[in-house]
Every structure is written in structure tokens, then in C-alpha cells.
Amino acid sequence: MIRGLAPQPRLLWAIAIGAALIALSVVSPVLVLLAALYHAGLVAVVARDLALLPPARGYTARREMPDPFSLGEREEVKIVITNPRAGGLRARVADHAPLDLQPRPRDVDGTFDTSGTLNVSYSTQSPRRGAYRFQSIDLRVVRPDGWLRRQVRIKLDHEVAVFPNVVAIKRIQLTLRRGLRALVGQRRARPPGASTAFAGLRDYVRGDDVRRISWTATARRDRPVMVEVEAERGQQVMIALDCGRLMTAPAGNLDKLDHAVNAALMLAWVAQAFGDRVGLMTFDDRVTNFIKPERGATQLHLITQALYAIKASYVEPDFGHAMTHLALRAGRRSLVVVLTDVQDPNQSRELVAHCLRLSARHLVLVVAMSDPEVLSARFAPIATSARAYQWAAAEEFVASRRESFEQLRRGGVLGLDVVAGNLSPALVERYLELKERALL
């Protein structure tokens, strides 16, 4: 009964008052009787409070949380604790969550309802992929006017995994099913007049492009008829993900590789939703994984598992080996999306050369992420000489990246340079634009 109990501040004050009465009892015999009665009453009150506190063995707990966790997303973990005898008790809960998941807040206050159920929650944010372990839950309960509090440790171990951002996939899936734009600025899946596959005929509506009128159908029906087209399905997308040294650099809350992983998974899902075959290649100084282009739920599962497991290496990427390997195994003409980092023309010479060579047969899109801190250094006020040097360095770095992308553009290679936090929606937007323009 004593184990796990601790005094409330009011009990400590009461004990201090009792000690003062004992000290004063040497002055008058009347104070001796008063001290005895005071302590007898205090013992009775504390004993009653102890009897009303449920024992530790009556508590059960469970966690309700995402399965799996999503990289970079703020998500909620809910804890439900029950004890039929704990109705009305105030509680504080501290979950032994992995510190790497950044739990906020660490301690959560709540009150058991009349049935003896406590519901509390806190948020987490996962900055890295991988496996994590939740351990015990610490619970502190006290009556609203109690003198003692009981501290309980409930053993509840959980193994969880942080995957690439599946929450973003669920959001885009829901909005596509509703027929809405999945992302800000996203284009329609059936653009009028720029795609390559015939989708049907419909009556003319004011504002339609007259160049899409089917004169044969118009003559047959004796009213204007429009040709409907949609983005051609059954094309092929290869995602080439650089896992070399430069992708270990931080960019906002995640490092560049994790931003690229989220974008790759988003692109794979969207391409599958539009009927294209999707493949994945990861590489550093060698090709570490190659998944040939296919379509279907099994393919998405393979890509998700591969993206979950990859790690960046502190080595220079071998673009020549990677692009040659892709060219030999890709087969038919594909949209090749190279997720990497681009620096000045000298350091990006190998990337530029091999992407230009690959573009002779495939449509190549080189995607790079800008560090938000570098961009903020360009636009922040210049008040000191140190800030002036920072601005000059940031400006030179951005200009050198722009020159590298210009070399790619002149050779027929597409480029996308975007702030790391906006990578996923920007990449999907570019993919849909390429589908509309029928460049593949």
C-alpha cells in the first residue's frame, strides 16, 4: 500500500504545523493535548485518503497511434487508461516515447471520467526513417482535495516504424477520389487539348477550343461536337535517387535525402494512379537497388519498402555507372526523374554530362532541392559586414546552381530547382505538366 505513494504539498504543510505544535508543547501542557489530537486527526484524514486511492494493479492502458508513422509529419498519439475505481481522479501522464520522435508535450494532464476512463494525447514529429520503441507509461493520480498521490508505471512496449510520408499519399488519394485538386496548383488529369489519348465525344460548350471540334461528328449530329482527350496511360517513369554525400545535408526539418524519399513516393503513387509504370533506382558510388518499372499495388509496396530502408552514404555518387545501368535496364523510352543535388558547373560536370547522354533516348528531369537557410540569407537585411559576406556567398551559390541548370536546359534536359519543403507538390505538378504536353 505504501509503494508508489508520495505526499501532496498540503500534507507536508500539515506535518510542518504538527511539528511546530510539538515544539510548543514544552511551553504549556494544554498544547500537548492539542498536538496529540491534531496528529490523530491528521492520521485519520490521510488514512481515509489512502483508502480512496485505487491500488496500482487496477490500471490498464493502451496506445492509439499511426501505423506506420510518416516521415516529417506532425501526428497524434492517444493514450487511454482505465480503472473502474478511478472515476473523478486527476491524473498526469508521461509516456516513455522515443526522444527522436520529438513528443510534445512530455507530460499531459487529464481527469478520469465517471466510468474510470482517461483519454490524453500528445503529438510527435518523425525526422528520420527507421524503427523506434515506445516503453512504459508513468501515471500519477490524486484526488481533487487529496493528501497523497499514487505513482504507477504501466508496462506497455511498442515497436513502431517511421516510413516515407504515407499521410501525404492518403491526402492526395482522398482528394483525387473526390475529383478535387490534390495539391495547390495541380493540373487536371484530363486536360482539354494537350494530351494524346482519345477519351470520347461531347457537345460543344461556350468557351471550348474550336480547334477540338469533330467536324465529322458535327455533321452527323447536326450540332457542334467536341473531341475529349486525356493524358496517355501506360507510359513509363523511372525514379533515380542519389544517396551520396551531398544528400546528407540538412534542409529544414529533414535532410535532403528524406525530402527526396517523400517526393519519390508521392510521384510513384501519382504516376500509378494515372496508369503509368513506375520503377526505382537508388545509387551512390554504385547502384544499390533497382526495381524495374511495373504498375499495381504490389509495385507500390516494393517501392515503399525500398525507400524505407535506404540510407545516405558519405561517398561521391558515380553518375556514369548509375545512368549506364539505368539505360541498359529501362528498356523503352521513359521519363527519368533524377533526384539529386546540383552545385556549380565544375562539381556538377559528371551529372550534366551523363544526363545529356541519357536524354538522347529518354526524357530526363533533374530535380534538386534548395536549402531554405541559403535562400533566407539572400533576402535577409544586410546590417553588418558579416551579413554582407553571408549574402555574397549565398548569391554566388545560387548563381552557380542556375548556371548548371542552364547547361542542362541547353542540352535538352529538364530541370526543377525548388525549396526542399515544397519538393513533393512541385515534382507532382511538373509530372502532370509533362503528361499534358505529351513530351514523353
Side-chain angles (χ1 to χ4, degrees), residues 67-143:
D67 183 24
F69 283 77
S70 289
L71 178 65
E73 285 284 334
R74 178 63 65 177
E75 297 178 286
E76 183 182 66
V77 176
K78 184 178 180 181
I79 297 176
V80 181
I81 301 176
T82 58
N83 187 337
R85 296 181 55 187
L89 296 184
R90 292 204 306 259
R92 172 168 289 186
V93 179
D95 194 2
H96 288 230
L99 292 179
D100 287 342
L101 297 187
Q102 302 175 7
R104 298 288 186 277
R106 296 292 295 164
D107 299 334
V108 187
D109 294 325
T111 302
F112 283 87
D113 62 20
T114 54
S115 65
T117 301
L118 172 69
N119 292 276
V120 295
S121 62
Y122 61 92
S123 65
T124 63
Q125 187 168 23
S126 314
R128 296 181 184 85
R129 289 165 288 113
Y132 296 88
R133 185 179 183 84
F134 285 76
Q135 297 180 336
S136 303
I137 295 174
D138 285 340
L139 171 68
R140 178 187 297 172
V141 293
V142 61
R143 296 176 59 243

Side-chain angles (χ1 to χ4, degrees), residues 57-381:
R57 61 179 177 273
Y59 292 93
T60 60
R62 73 177 189 273
R63 291 189 188 93
E64 298 176 1
M65 53 188 178
D67 183 24
F69 283 77
S70 289
L71 178 65
E73 285 284 334
R74 178 63 65 177
E75 297 178 286
E76 183 182 66
V77 176
K78 184 178 180 181
I79 297 176
V80 181
I81 301 176
T82 58
N83 187 337
R85 296 181 55 187
L89 296 184
R90 292 204 306 259
R92 172 168 289 186
V93 179
D95 194 2
H96 288 230
L99 292 179
D100 287 342
L101 297 187
Q102 302 175 7
R104 298 288 186 277
R106 296 292 295 164
D107 299 334
V108 187
D109 294 325
T111 302
F112 283 87
D113 62 20
T114 54
S115 65
T117 301
L118 172 69
N119 292 276
V120 295
S121 62
Y122 61 92
S123 65
T124 63
Q125 187 168 23
S126 314
R128 296 181 184 85
R129 289 165 288 113
Y132 296 88
R133 185 179 183 84
F134 285 76
Q135 297 180 336
S136 303
I137 295 174
D138 285 340
L139 171 68
R140 178 187 297 172
V141 293
V142 61
R143 296 176 59 243
D145 297 320
W147 298 79
L148 295 170
R149 64 174 180 261
R150 185 179 294 282
Q151 299 182 170
V152 182
R153 174 161 290 182
I154 306 172
K155 187 174 179 60
L156 188 64
D157 291 349
H158 264 135
E159 292 283 349
V160 300
V162 176
F163 268 61
N165 197 338
V166 294
V167 169
I169 302 300
K170 293 177 182 178
R171 283 198 295 261
I172 191 174
Q173 184 178 19
L174 179 62
T175 51
L176 285 178
R177 285 177 178 174
R178 290 175 176 173
L180 305 176
R181 290 188 178 188
L183 301 165
V184 175
Q186 181 173 304
R187 300 172 186 272
R188 293 179 294 176
R190 296 179 60 170
S195 301
T196 58
F198 175 78
L201 300 173
R202 63 171 176 81
D203 289 340
Y204 174 84
V205 177
R206 183 186 295 272
D208 282 339
D209 186 353
V210 296
R211 291 175 297 180
R212 288 296 174 184
I213 293 178
S214 171
W215 298 109
T216 303
T218 297
R220 186 167 55 249
R221 299 184 184 182
D222 199 24
R223 63 179 183 274
V225 176
M226 300 295 298
V227 176
E228 278 280 277
V229 291
E230 64 181 356
E232 184 180 350
R233 306 172 72 87
Q235 296 174 321
Q236 189 160 288
V237 179
M238 275 299 308
I239 303 171
L241 182 53
D242 176 8
C243 303
R245 175 182 61 84
L246 293 177
M247 300 298 282
T248 63
N253 295 328
L254 306 176
D255 60 35
K256 289 189 174 183
L257 179 62
D258 283 331
H259 282 295
V261 164
N262 283 342
L265 183 60
M266 176 75 79
L267 176 61
W269 193 92
V270 172
Q272 286 275 342
F274 289 145
D276 290 343
R277 290 183 291 272
V278 185
L280 175 70
M281 181 182 73
T282 61
F283 65 95
D284 40 42
D285 58 344
R286 59 187 178 88
V287 174
T288 55
N289 197 0
F290 189 92
I291 301 175
K292 67 178 183 178
E294 295 291 348
R295 64 166 66 94
T298 301
Q299 182 75 352
L300 283 179
H301 178 73
L302 290 175
I303 291 175
T304 303
Q305 292 292 334
L307 292 174
Y308 167 73
I310 64 172
K311 295 181 180 179
S313 303
Y314 290 92
V315 296
E316 294 297 332
D318 188 341
F319 291 103
H321 175 68
M323 299 307 162
T324 301
H325 187 92
L326 188 150
L328 292 174
R329 299 193 60 183
R332 58 180 291 187
R333 176 176 168 83
S334 308
L335 168 62
V336 178
V337 179
V338 183
L339 288 158
T340 183
D341 197 12
V342 176
Q343 294 190 321
D344 61 79
N346 288 332
Q347 293 185 334
S348 301
R349 183 185 300 111
E350 184 183 3
L351 167 66
V352 172
H354 292 288
C355 286
L356 293 177
R357 179 169 58 86
L358 190 65
S359 66
R361 182 178 180 186
H362 302 278
L363 179 63
V364 181
L365 172 63
V366 175
V367 183
M369 289 153 278
S370 301
D371 188 343
E373 293 186 5
V374 174
L375 297 181
S376 64
R378 294 181 63 206
F379 301 109

